[in-house]
Amino acid sequence: AKLRIVDLTFSKVTSFGPLSGRKELVSLRARNTDLTDDGLKALTGTDELRVLEVEKTKVTAAGVAEFAKRFPKCKVVWD
């Protein structure tokens, strides 16, 4: 089965590493989690990703900026 949309809101996720290589992934939501900048860096091989929602996480502005450089086509929603 292809994972196109993943919602990890309110989960215990701290890293996106397990989702790496999911080329079909287009939307990833991880609001209200303990996701960190390092956890965000772990996401690779998901070139079709278009929306990333990471509000109310431990991700910093620097982490968002680095992610945006790696995934320029992806809209990042962050606070």
Side-chain angles (χ1 to χ4, degrees), residues 3 11 23-24 29 35 55 69:
L3 286 176
S11 72
K23 295 182 185 341
E24 68 278 2
R29 196 175 292 139
L35 182 70
E55 300 104 329
K69 286 180 189 172

Side-chain angles (χ1 to χ4, degrees), residues 5-44:
I5 299 170
V6 174
D7 189 344
L8 299 168
T9 299
F10 290 111
S11 72
K12 296 186 185 293
V13 70
T14 58
S15 175
F16 285 152
L19 294 172
S20 287
R22 295 285 190 166
K23 295 182 185 341
E24 68 278 2
L25 193 61
V26 294
S27 178
L28 183 51
R29 196 175 292 139
R31 291 180 254 155
N32 296 287
T33 65
D34 289 331
L35 182 70
T36 64
D37 289 350
D38 285 341
L40 198 55
K41 284 180 191 174
L43 188 64
T44 60

Side-chain angles (χ1 to χ4, degrees), residues 52-62 64 76-79:
L52 174 71
E53 298 178 27
V54 288
E55 300 104 329
K56 296 183 178 24
T57 64
K58 294 181 179 179
V59 174
T60 66
V64 170
V76 179
V77 181
W78 171 82
D79 58 3

